[in-house]
C-alpha cells in the first residue's frame, strides 16, 4: 500500500533571541491510508510541531512533506489553505467552536467554505450530528452544551466533509476519563467508516494503546515506533519492521 503521507528529513528550527531551538531534527515517517497513528512524547518533544507541519500550519526549516501526492513544503499560503479545505479535518483540544453559532451552524462551516449548497450541507450536518447523539442539540450554542457535547460538535465539524486525513490535537485533554473514552470511540468509528487516516497527538498512554501505531518523539527525533495492531486483515498495512523510511522524495 502506498503511503498517503511521506516525511523526509524534516527539520524545524525556531529562533529564540540569539538561540536556535531545534524542535524537529530529521524526522522520517510514512503514514498509510486508513491508519490511526498516535504521536506521543513529553512536553517539548516536538509532537505538536510535527502535527502542525503535517497540517501545513507551519513551514519546515528543511525537509519534504508529501501528502496525497502533493508537496506541502513547496506550497504558498493560499495553496495550503486550499489543500486543507479539500483534504483535511481538524479536532482541537479547546473545541474552537464559534460561540455565536448553533451546533448545526458550526458543523456546516466547512461545507460553506467548500461551496456546498445550503440544503445539502444542512442534510449532511444533521446526519452526522444524529450519528454523534446530538439530534436534540442542533439549535444549542456552545455555552448551552457540556464539554463532551462541544467536543462531539467539533468532531462532527471535522468529519462532515469526509476528509481523507483527520488531525486531532489532544482531543480529549479537557474531558473526564469516561467522556474521553466515548469521544475516542466516536472519532475512531467515524474515521474508519469514512476510510479516513487519523493522526492524533496525545499524552495519554491509554489512548495511544488503541492506535494502530504509536510514534514516540524525544528532542525532535523519532525514538520508537510501536505497532499495536492485533488483526492485520482488519488494519491498514505498514512496514513490518516499523523503522523510519530513508528514501528521498523527488525535489
Amino acid at each position: 500500500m502506498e503511503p498517503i503521507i511521506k516525511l523526509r528529513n524534516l527539520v524545524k528550527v525556531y529562533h529564540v533571541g540569539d538561540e536556535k531551538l531545534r524542535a524537529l531534527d530529521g524526522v522520517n515517517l510514512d503514514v498509510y491510508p486508513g491508519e490511526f497513528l498516535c504521536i506521543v512524547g513529553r512536553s517539548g518533544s516536538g509532537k505538536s510541531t510535527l502535527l502542525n507541519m503535517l497540517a501545513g500550519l507551519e513551514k519546515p526549516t528543511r525537509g519534504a512533506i508529501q501528502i496525497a501526492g502533493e508537496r506541502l513544503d513547496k506550497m504558498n499560503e493560499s495553496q495550503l489553505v486550499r489543500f486543507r479545505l479539500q483534504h483535511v479535518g481538524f479536532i482541537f483540544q479547546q473545541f474552537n467552536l464559534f460561540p455565536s453559532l448553533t451546533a448545526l451552524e458550526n458543523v456546516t462551516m466547512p461545507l460553506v467554505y467548500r461551496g456546498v449548497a445550503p440544503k445539502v450541507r444542512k442534510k449532511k450536518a444533521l446526519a452526522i450530528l444524529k450519528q454523534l447523539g446530538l439530534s436534540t442539540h442542533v439549535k444549542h450554542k456552545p455555552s448551552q452544551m457540556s464539554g463532551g457535547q462541544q467536543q462531539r460538535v467539533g468532531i462532527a465539524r471535522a468529519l462532515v466533509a469526509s476528509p481523507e486525513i483527520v488531525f486531532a490535537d489532544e482531543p480529549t485533554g479537557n474531558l473526564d476519563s469516561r467522556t474521553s473514552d466515548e469521544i475516542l470511540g466516536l472519532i475512531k468509528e467515524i474515521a474508519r467508516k469514512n476510510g479516513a487516516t487519523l493522526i492524533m497527538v496525545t499524552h495519554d498512554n491509554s489512548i495511544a494503546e488503541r492506535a494502530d501505531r504509536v510514534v514516540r518523539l524525544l528532542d525532535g527525533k523519532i525514538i520508537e515506533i510501536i505497532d499495536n495492531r492485533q488483526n492485520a486483515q482488519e488494519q491498514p498495512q505498514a512496514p513490518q519492521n516499523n523503522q523510519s523510511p530513508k528514501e528521498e522524495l523527488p525535489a
Side-chain angles (χ1 to χ4, degrees), residues 50-64:
L50 179 56
L51 192 72
N52 288 341
M53 297 289 108
L54 287 165
L57 298 175
E58 292 188 54
K59 282 278 192 178
T61 303
R62 188 168 66 251

Side-chain angles (χ1 to χ4, degrees), residues 206-232:
S206 66
I207 290 177
E209 289 172 357
R210 295 171 66 177
D212 299 326
R213 288 192 299 156
V214 179
V215 173
R216 190 172 301 278
L217 294 180
L218 180 65
D219 298 332
K221 296 182 179 182
I222 294 177
I223 60 169
E224 186 178 26
I225 300 178
I226 304 167
D227 194 335
N228 289 333
R229 293 165 300 167
Q230 299 299 313
N231 188 338

Side-chain angles (χ1 to χ4, degrees), residues 1-16:
M1 185 183 294
E2 181 70 14
I4 191 170
I5 296 174
K6 296 180 180 181
L7 306 181
R8 297 295 182 270
N9 194 32
L10 200 62
V11 174
K12 181 64 178 180
V13 177
Y14 294 105
H15 294 270
V16 182

